[in-house]
């Protein structure tokens, strides 16, 4: 439930939520009446219930991918498979550089897949996409990203 706070020149609203296991808050001020603040508070509560109130990660795609790989995949993979993931990481760096995950769109990702497919076999492209998709899906599931930009890419 959002808090409504009376200020000297109006009202403000504060909503608390969890991000990476830590308590965070979203604050908004400038409401002239209490009713305006209450309406905004209801909107924030609705977003929180629908998991839309997410502080997206500032990590680059490459940084997130390697962290995800080391924490969730590497411990249980064979050596050759781990090398495949590291190759995917290298390709992510090559095609996305230091772009933040939250700034990558579906169209951006599809363009990378198309470019990658020009110089690689279909099986290699599918592995790249599969590993990228799994990492991004984990980010969405962990509330680090609002939308999976890899869904539907061909």
């Amino acid at each position: 439930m959002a808090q409504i706070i009376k200020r000297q020149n109006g009202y403000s609203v504060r909503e608390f939520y969890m991000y990476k296991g830590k308590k965070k808050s979203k604050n908004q001020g400038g409401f002239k009446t209490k009713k305006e603040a209450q309406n905004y508070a209801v909107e924030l509560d609705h977003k929180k219930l629908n998991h839309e109130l997410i502080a997206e990660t500032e990590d680059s795609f490459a940084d997130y991918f390697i962290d995800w790989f080391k924490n969730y995949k590497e411990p249980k993979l064979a050596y050759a498979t781990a090398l495949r993931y590291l190759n995917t990481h290298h390709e992510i760096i090559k095609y996305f550089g230091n772009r933040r995950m939250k700034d990558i769109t579906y169209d951006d990702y599809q363009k990378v897949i198309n470019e990658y497919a020009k110089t690689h076999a279909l099986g290699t492209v599918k592995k790249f996409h599969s590993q990228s998709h799994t990492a991004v899906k984990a980010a969405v599931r962990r509330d680090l990203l609002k939308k999976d930009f890899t869904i539907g890419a061909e």
Side-chain angles (χ1 to χ4, degrees), residues 3 5 7 12-17 24-29 31 40 44:
Q3 292 179 334
I5 303 158
R7 305 278 185 203
S12 66
V13 177
R14 178 182 300 151
E15 179 72 59
F16 292 98
Y17 61 97
K24 299 281 184 181
S25 66
K26 178 169 179 58
N27 302 300
Q28 179 68 47
F31 300 103
Y40 183 74
L44 275 183

Side-chain angles (χ1 to χ4, degrees), residues 95-96 105-118 153-154:
Y95 286 98
F96 291 102
T105 66
Y106 168 78
D107 291 335
D108 296 334
Y109 183 75
Q110 184 63 57
K111 287 174 187 173
V112 167
I113 291 293
N114 294 344
E115 193 65 29
Y116 191 66
K118 289 178 183 176
E154 299 176 0

Side-chain angles (χ1 to χ4, degrees), residues 6-153:
K6 178 143 176 59
R7 305 278 185 203
Q8 287 180 343
N9 56 352
Y11 292 86
S12 66
V13 177
R14 178 182 300 151
E15 179 72 59
F16 292 98
Y17 61 97
M18 297 301 287
Y19 175 69
K20 288 188 176 181
K22 295 182 180 176
K23 192 174 186 179
K24 299 281 184 181
S25 66
K26 178 169 179 58
N27 302 300
Q28 179 68 47
F31 300 103
K32 293 189 185 331
T33 66
K34 187 173 183 179
K35 187 66 177 170
E36 285 178 12
Q38 287 172 332
N39 290 340
Y40 183 74
V42 168
E43 184 182 319
L44 275 183
D45 286 339
H46 179 73
K47 284 183 178 181
K48 186 176 178 182
L49 286 173
N50 291 324
H51 303 287
E52 295 172 13
L53 190 61
I54 295 172
E56 292 186 290
T57 184
E58 296 293 323
D59 291 346
S60 72
F61 187 20
D63 289 346
Y64 174 79
F65 185 88
I66 198 67
D67 288 343
W68 168 81
F69 165 71
K70 287 181 178 179
N71 290 326
Y72 296 98
K73 291 293 182 178
E74 188 177 33
K76 56 187 173 188
L77 293 178
Y79 178 73
T81 308
L83 287 179
R84 181 76 215 132
Y85 276 85
L86 292 174
N87 185 57
T88 297
H89 177 249
H90 174 74
E91 297 297 334
I92 288 170
I93 292 170
K94 179 179 172 183
Y95 286 98
F96 291 102
N98 285 326
R99 287 189 63 193
R100 296 181 304 185
M101 287 180 70
K102 70 179 189 176
D103 296 336
I104 299 172
T105 66
Y106 168 78
D107 291 335
D108 296 334
Y109 183 75
Q110 184 63 57
K111 287 174 187 173
V112 167
I113 291 293
N114 294 344
E115 193 65 29
Y116 191 66
K118 289 178 183 176
T119 57
H120 294 81
L122 179 62
T124 307
V125 175
K126 284 184 176 185
K127 285 178 186 173
F128 173 83
H129 171 62
S130 174
Q131 292 171 355
S132 298
H133 175 65
T134 304
V136 172
K137 195 165 54 171
V140 172
R141 193 171 47 249
R142 293 171 57 213
D143 288 338
L144 302 177
L145 198 60
K146 288 182 184 177
K147 294 185 180 177
D148 183 346
F149 55 81
T150 65
I151 290 179

